Amino acid sequence: MRGIVEIIRLIRDGAMENRLFFLLLAGFAFFPLYTGMADLPFWEDVAMRIMLLGMAAMGLNLVLGYGGMVSFGHAAFLGVGAYCVGISQSFGLMNGWVHLLISIGVCGGLGLVIGYLALRTSGIYFIMITLAFAQMLFFLFVSLEMFGGDDGMSIDRAEFLPFDLYEPLRLYFLIWAMLVLVSVALMLVVRSRFGVTLRAIRNNASRVEAMGLEPLGFRMTGYVISAVICGLAGALFASWQEYVSPDIMHWSRSGELMIIIVLGGLGTLAGPLLGAIVFLLLEEFLPEFLYLVAPAYAENWMIIFGPLLIAVVLFGRGGLMGMVGKLRAGRRDGDGS
Amino acid sequence: MTLFLEQLFNGLQAGVTLFLIAAGLTLILGIMDFVFLAHGSQVMVGAYAGAAITSWTGNFYLGLVLAIPVTFASGYLIEYLLIRHLYRRDHMEQVLATFGLILFFNELVRIGFGPAALFSDLPPSLGHFVEILPDTPYPVFRLVVIGVGLACALGIHLFVSRTKTGAMVRAGANNPEMTAALGVNITLLFRMIFAAGAAFAGLAGTLLGPLTSVEPGMGEPLLILSLVVIIIGGIGSVRGAFIAAIIIGIVDTLGRIFLPMLLRQILDGSAADGAGPALASMLVYILMAVVLVFRPQGLFPPRG
């Protein structure tokens, strides 16, 4: 109940960032109305991918943006969440709700173990040990022949009783509802005493320690929550793709999630979602753009995307959310004069 | 026994190649505190340069020798154009920018040479076998790789521990600000380390060319392995990187061959067939995790 009051207050008089966030979520709710009328089922698919990657990025953002822990292996949780669905199905378990619960539980436990071991280190060592654990899991699934190995395994669209996911748009709204759920949960977590402490630890861990709080516990909790969110996104990803392979947890995917967050704005609520929109639109439109300019190289859109990414790192501090903030600040200055 | 010896040599060869890649990287990480993910791209550049020059000139040795200045130049250019602007940024921004560099290099190579793998043939003088022990033939080229790798390792060690520039390098690793204050041109030092690191990585790539397929993205698995090497060895320690590289090379090679065999002795057939390769490919990462749990700074952290 307090949560609902809090949310209403956030929408009413929260920062502009929060309003933008709710606007985005509402936009995704009404998007199928447009694609339905214009008959663009492909863009519904793109929107689902945006929501799924955005959800995973929001999970990672809790440790990366709010906690200041550069985890370079979060794609592993995405992959394990997806494999939880595939593996339970291969044992005849078809209930989608149960799949989600299994994914959440397994990723939470895994996050606890990896977090406990990785958080003993810091700095470059932390980046590398999270990468190492992700590689370990990647190679584990590559060589598990009974679950498809390299080739991956196909997945049936699970039963989410009482909903029939074969009905058009049901999966879309399931993903949307989960995204809203995760968003609201993260919003409350970030504003809670825990979230404030996590940010304080990011800014100055020894000062927090001097106040009598143990940073490790907070970091661990944050790490586990973010692992669970990535696992949930992975489980939904499996249902959406109806297929899972080790590709989903390749180390470059962890990089992609980081790109999405930095593109959108580190340590902001709307940033990861905004970043996912821009990232996937670039992925769709850069090849088309190249096709117009240099048709022979339409496939090689990464040659533009790579330098673009470097430019964002060099010049785009604060990402898109930072730009939104600057625009707003500029307007306020204009009003004042 | 023959098989074991053969694989031990293969592991040694993998180890010294890893050291060639890791040596530059450990200095870049240790001295400049820079997370340079595109170091694997230097390996790829070296491999492509070697393969391309070999096929244009028809001379393998020429490809081997000329690939070194090419990668040196590419390292110098990357540092000058991009990396020096990123030293003061935080680790995550360095990760992302150099990740962008990887995407760029892979695509550049794909446009220039096509997506298919290149194969370079060994010249007849290097393509045969010698008996390292009675009844144990071993390819000459792999011995050459081991020899070149060990010679480079010795050279790097002597350079770092015996020369004045090497002393600057070590001082820079301990305290860059103080070193700069003492009048060392740290900008030039950084750039030279970068370029030299790229050249050694490129040499590793050229040497690996005839042993593996030369293709876009070939550097990334090597990059991740050499990161493991550096973490286990201790960031900034060349000696640690050498020992860790040899350990990783041998553990990885022997693990892939003998772990599945060993498991087949203990477990029943199907379980062993499933678990063996999985465990073998995870082995080095398990090793790294264990090392970090007990020694978070690696096995041989540089004194300072």
Side-chain angles (χ1 to χ4, degrees):
Chain A
M1 194 57 213
R2 237 186 87 221
I4 297 171
V5 172
E6 181 106 336
I7 296 287
I8 292 171
R9 194 182 303 143
L10 273 174
I11 303 176
R12 203 187 59 212
D13 50 26
M16 135 111 173
E17 186 212 317
N18 293 331
R19 271 185 255 162
L20 180 69
F21 188 40
F22 282 112
L23 210 66
L24 279 178
L25 289 179
F28 277 110
F30 290 109
F31 188 65
L33 217 60
Y34 165 71
T35 51
M37 278 194 301
D39 197 25
L40 296 166
F42 170 73
W43 287 102
E44 267 162 33
D45 223 43
V46 173
M48 282 194 260
R49 252 175 72 205
I50 290 175
M51 288 193 286
L52 289 169
L53 276 186
M55 191 193 296
M58 278 162 67
L60 175 59
N61 192 29
L62 185 66
V63 290
L64 200 68
Y66 293 100
M69 297 169 260
V70 185
S71 167
F72 199 8
H74 256 57
F77 298 119
L78 197 68
V80 170
Y83 266 103
C84 280
V85 176
I87 292 172
S88 4
Q89 281 198 1
S90 74
F91 287 110
L93 196 66
M94 293 309 290
N95 188 323
W97 300 110
V98 177
H99 292 164
L100 291 187
L101 281 180
I102 292 175
S103 293
I104 289 172
V106 171
C107 285
L110 199 64
L112 202 66
V113 175
I114 296 182
Y116 178 72
L117 293 172
L119 285 169
R120 302 164 64 97
T121 63
S122 60
I124 298 178
Y125 289 95
F126 181 78
I127 302 180
M128 294 308 153
I129 196 170
T130 47
L131 177 65
F133 277 114
Q135 285 297 102
M136 231 189 257
L137 289 163
F138 174 77
F139 285 119
L140 177 69
F141 283 105
V142 163
S143 43
L144 278 181
E145 291 297 336
M146 60 187 131
F147 299 121
D150 257 359
D151 301 326
M153 59 199 301
S154 63
I155 286 173
D156 289 326
R157 200 162 278 193
E159 298 157 2
F160 281 92
L161 298 169
F163 309 116
D164 175 7
L165 289 190
Y166 280 100
E167 207 132 300
L169 286 183
R170 282 278 164 78
L171 182 65
Y172 184 98
F173 281 106
L174 178 75
I175 292 173
W176 180 81
M178 289 293 169
L179 180 69
V180 171
L181 206 69
V182 166
S183 306
V184 169
L186 270 176
M187 207 170 245
L188 294 176
V189 164
V190 166
R191 286 173 60 87
S192 68
R193 206 181 81 97
F194 164 77
V196 174
T197 316
L198 197 64
R199 268 174 288 169
I201 291 169
R202 175 194 65 192
N203 292 337
N204 193 333
S206 40
R207 200 171 286 178
V208 172
E209 218 172 343
M211 283 170 22
L213 294 169
E214 180 55 65
L216 183 68
F218 287 91
R219 285 190 171 134
M220 285 271 292
T221 313
Y223 197 84
V224 170
I225 295 174
S226 82
V228 164
I229 293 173
C230 282
L232 181 68
L236 291 167
F237 208 93
S239 287
W240 167 74
Q241 209 176 20
E242 298 181 39
Y243 165 75
V244 60
S245 77
D247 232 31
I248 190 178
M249 54 214 291
H250 193 254
W251 72 286
S252 60
R253 171 105 40 194
S254 300
E256 257 172 48
L257 290 178
M258 281 161 79
I259 293 172
I260 286 173
I261 294 172
V262 171
L263 211 58
L266 196 66
T268 61
L269 280 170
L273 204 53
L274 214 55
I277 294 173
V278 174
F279 182 84
L280 284 173
L281 288 186
L282 278 175
E283 205 177 277
E284 293 300 333
F285 283 118
L286 268 182
E288 289 192 26
F289 167 74
L290 269 176
Y291 187 74
L292 291 176
V293 195
Y297 299 116
E299 291 290 306
N300 305 100
W301 58 280
M302 288 270 190
I303 197 105
I304 298 182
F305 187 74
L308 205 63
L309 176 62
I310 296 171
V312 169
V313 173
L314 281 179
F315 309 113
R317 306 198 89 173
L320 289 165
M321 285 308 290
M323 276 161 68
V324 170
K326 258 182 230 154
L327 278 178
R328 224 171 114 78
R331 210 173 53 199
R332 208 180 300 130
D333 288 350
D335 289 348
S337 64
Chain B
M1 193 58 210
T2 310
L3 178 69
F4 181 77
L5 200 69
E6 213 173 83
Q7 292 308 320
L8 200 65
F9 267 78
N10 281 347
L12 189 63
Q13 176 255 312
V16 295
T17 336
L18 267 182
F19 172 73
L20 284 183
I21 305 169
L25 203 54
T26 196
L27 292 179
I28 293 168
L29 268 170
I31 298 187
M32 302 166 221
D33 195 28
F34 190 91
V35 189
F36 185 53
L37 290 188
H39 200 64
S41 298
Q42 309 291 336
V43 180
M44 181 178 72
V45 168
Y48 268 94
I53 296 170
T54 302
S55 75
W56 291 334
T57 60
N59 187 333
F60 178 78
Y61 296 99
L62 213 57
L64 197 61
V65 172
L66 286 181
I68 295 172
V70 169
T71 42
F72 187 88
S74 105
Y76 189 95
L77 266 179
I78 291 173
E79 204 278 347
Y80 181 73
L81 291 176
L82 176 65
I83 304 302
R84 67 192 171 113
H85 303 294
L86 289 164
Y87 287 134
R88 291 183 192 287
R89 298 299 188 84
D90 62 44
H91 286 149
M92 194 193 54
E93 290 180 309
Q94 297 170 349
V95 166
L96 285 178
T98 50
F99 189 75
L101 215 53
I102 294 180
L103 301 179
F104 176 75
F105 269 108
N106 283 345
E107 219 52 57
L108 197 67
V109 159
R110 207 168 281 145
I111 291 175
F113 295 89
L118 297 185
F119 293 96
S120 58
D121 287 326
L122 283 169
S125 51
L126 289 176
H128 57 91
F129 287 74
V130 288
E131 291 201 347
I132 41 175
L133 277 181
D135 297 326
T136 311
Y138 196 75
V140 153
F141 183 66
R142 282 181 190 265
L143 287 178
V144 171
V145 174
I146 294 174
V148 172
L150 287 178
C152 287
L154 187 68
I156 293 170
H157 170 73
L158 289 179
F159 170 78
V160 171
S161 65
R162 295 288 151 83
T163 63
K164 192 168 168 231
T165 322
M168 291 179 196
V169 169
R170 275 180 291 145
N174 276 336
N175 193 336
E177 283 85 14
M178 187 58 83
T179 314
L182 288 173
V184 174
N185 186 346
I186 212 99
T187 317
L188 186 69
L189 187 69
F190 279 15
R191 196 163 299 151
M192 282 304 152
I193 290 171
F194 229 96
F200 279 114
L203 179 64
T206 322
L207 288 172
L208 281 174
L211 298 175
T212 56
S213 56
V214 177
E215 57 189 342
M218 64 175 283
E220 275 95 276
L222 291 167
L223 167 83
I224 292 180
L225 267 189
S226 49
L227 287 173
V228 172
V229 162
I230 288 166
I231 297 292
I232 291 182
I235 291 174
S237 159
V238 175
R239 185 174 65 112
F242 180 74
I243 296 169
I246 302 294
I247 293 175
I248 294 285
I250 290 177
V251 164
D252 193 37
T253 310
L254 293 188
R256 273 169 212 282
I257 302 288
F258 294 107
L259 203 62
M261 284 186 183
L262 205 71
L263 278 184
R264 219 164 290 145
Q265 309 268 308
I266 309 166
L267 299 169
D268 69 281
S270 68
D273 287 342
L279 210 56
S281 55
M282 289 162 69
L283 205 56
V284 295
Y285 301 101
I286 296 173
L287 188 67
M288 166 169 161
V290 170
V291 167
L292 277 187
V293 166
F294 290 103
R295 291 184 70 110
Q297 300 298 309
L299 292 179
F300 305 94
R303 285 154 300 215

